[in-house]
Amino acid sequence: MNGKILEIQNLTVRFGGFTAINNLNFSLDKGELRVVIGPNGAGKTTFMDVITGKTKPTEGQVFFKGKNLRPYAEYEIARMGIGRKFQTPRVYQKLTPRENLELSCARKKNVWASLTAGSSTAERRIVVELLDTIGLATKADIPAELLSHGEKQRLEIGMLVAQSPDLLLVDEPVAGLTDEETEKVGNLLLELAESHSIMVIEHDMEFVRQIARQVTVLHQGSVLCEGNMDEVQNNPKVIEVYLGS
Ligand code: ADP
């Protein structure tokens, strides 16, 4: 599908009589970093839920790498190459960052084979590189429970990357972080964007300014506008519903 990793056509999601997503059209180019913003209740989480197969469309289609996802279950869609990072870090607290990353690498393989064989040399090398990328090389071997919230967020982003997804979905990665930690997560996403397709949901406008190239604004379950940060910020409709609020 000519360079599109994700294409969403006429998507509508209703919960009973309530329309959370309303005839939404969206596409993401391979290798693109896109930030999706919108006020509370705009439909951002539902949008992510549909892409990952957690919620099925009431109407419309989601194509990933040209394939219609409708027939597939959430776990099958994950295996097809869509990785999602939820807002709250879900790292194994008693394991070290290195072990967390090794486990994530192993998830790509047959679980039993990976448990019995342990990590291969190639995987161990990938983990060392990832520890460096996420800025945790010096904390590689302490229990993850001793990491700061920001470090855990970066670790979890690393765990996502370790599974080699074709598309990374990242949900509010800087909620509750200090300015310094926020900047580090932003730099990490920018670095990863050089070799990955990434979609980020975000509220924090400073952070959006740091990382955003293309922004999609959702409002009442539809795309209100799309463009670069300047275009979006100066759009009167956006000012009215979001930035002005
Ligand atoms: P956002 O992530 O932008 O804050 P959501 O996707 O969480 O928005 O929600 C969009 C709208 O859909 C909200 O009004 C929310 O209350 C409603 N909604 C979300 N999930 C459900 C559900 N399972 N049942 C009913 N309403 C829902």
Side-chain angles (χ1 to χ4, degrees):
M1 202 180 263
N2 40 357
K4 303 263 178 251
I5 190 157
L6 188 68
E7 180 123 42
I8 293 173
Q9 298 174 349
N10 306 109
L11 177 69
T12 293
V13 178
R14 292 193 199 93
F15 296 112
F18 180 79
T19 304
I21 299 285
N22 189 8
N23 198 28
L24 183 148
N25 289 285
F26 177 91
S27 69
L28 187 78
D29 286 341
K30 198 164 181 295
E32 194 183 336
L33 167 63
R34 179 81 59 91
V35 180
V36 177
I37 63 171
N40 266 335
K44 303 181 295 298
T45 307
T46 307
F47 184 45
M48 285 264 198
D49 287 348
V50 171
I51 297 169
T52 57
K54 187 174 175 201
T55 298
K56 286 292 169 194
T58 311
E59 288 162 26
Q61 316 292 342
V62 178
F63 295 92
F64 173 60
K65 295 189 286 186
K67 201 172 215 173
N68 190 335
L69 294 184
R70 186 177 279 271
Y72 298 99
E74 193 175 3
Y75 76 92
E76 292 172 311
I77 292 171
R79 275 193 205 152
M80 286 159 78
I82 298 185
R84 180 176 190 176
K85 190 211 160 307
F86 288 88
Q87 196 175 333
T88 331
R90 296 179 173 190
V91 304
Y92 295 102
Q93 304 282 351
K94 299 287 176 199
L95 300 183
T96 67
R98 190 189 307 279
E99 289 164 341
N100 269 288
L101 289 169
E102 281 173 356
L103 265 183
S104 297
C105 266
R107 274 196 208 132
K108 281 184 295 185
K109 305 185 295 194
N110 174 310
V111 175
W112 290 112
S114 63
L115 282 175
T116 48
S119 298
S120 68
T121 313
E123 280 168 358
R124 281 197 294 270
R125 202 166 43 235
I126 290 169
V127 166
V128 170
E129 280 170 21
L130 265 174
L131 282 163
D132 195 42
T133 305
I134 62 177
L136 291 179
T138 58
K139 299 192 173 179
D141 299 307
I142 63 168
E145 63 191 351
L146 299 178
L147 300 177
S148 70
H149 185 48
E151 288 167 340
K152 282 183 195 162
Q153 292 285 28
R154 280 185 277 135
L155 173 56
E156 207 193 351
I157 292 171
M159 289 162 68
L160 196 61
V161 174
Q163 293 171 59
S164 311
D166 297 309
L167 171 63
L168 277 80
L169 303 178
V170 184
D171 199 347
E172 293 193 32
V174 298
L177 297 191
T178 64
D179 290 351
E180 196 189 334
E181 285 172 329
T182 296
E183 199 181 331
K184 282 184 184 165
V185 169
N187 289 338
L188 172 59
L189 289 174
L190 287 173
E191 187 175 340
L192 294 174
E194 285 170 20
S195 50
H196 293 82
S197 308
I198 307 180
M199 204 171 110
V200 181
I201 286 186
E202 193 45 66
H203 264 301
D204 181 326
M205 290 309 292
E206 276 306 313
F207 181 66
V208 175
R209 275 187 207 100
Q210 184 195 345
I211 65 164
R213 290 147 191 193
Q214 285 296 109
V215 180
T216 296
V217 186
L218 291 193
H219 178 54
Q220 294 181 344
S222 302
V223 174
L224 183 73
C225 92
E226 280 183 325
N228 64 33
M229 201 56 205
D230 282 343
E231 288 164 343
V232 164
Q233 272 181 305
N234 293 319
N235 184 309
K237 288 186 288 187
V238 177
I239 294 168
E240 188 183 331
V241 307
Y242 187 64
L243 298 173
S245 66

